[in-house]
Amino acid sequence: MPTLAAEIVTSGTEILLGDIVDTNAAWIAQQLREAGVNLYYKTTVGDNEPQLRGVITLRMTRTDVIIVTRRLGPP
């Protein structure tokens, strides 16, 4: 079975501006590694629908799996 290629897209202006640390993407990256999935990119985009749509559209052309996350859990 071929190895999957994954990307993580995190949405949140508070993450983009450094108001909170993106611990979700770090945890997801560890889980992907343990599952044998190659993670090639992590991207953060602000809370702007056109920009988020553009990021996801580009990612769809170059990867097998896109995980989109938002601020969840403790700050």
Side-chain angles (χ1 to χ4, degrees), residues 2-7 29 32-33 35-41 63-65:
T3 304
L4 291 175
E7 298 193 32
L32 290 171
R33 182 182 61 223
V37 176
N38 291 325
L39 178 65
Y40 292 111
Y41 299 94
T63 194
D64 302 311
V65 177

Side-chain angles (χ1 to χ4, degrees), residues 12-52:
T13 302
E14 67 281 0
I15 297 168
L16 184 64
L17 297 179
D19 293 338
I20 65 168
V21 176
D22 182 8
T23 57
N24 294 331
W27 183 85
I28 292 168
Q30 291 169 352
Q31 301 307 303
L32 290 171
R33 182 182 61 223
E34 290 176 14
V37 176
N38 291 325
L39 178 65
Y40 292 111
Y41 299 94
K42 292 192 298 184
T43 302
T44 303
V45 62
D47 293 317
N48 179 293
E49 184 179 342
Q51 290 175 343
L52 181 58

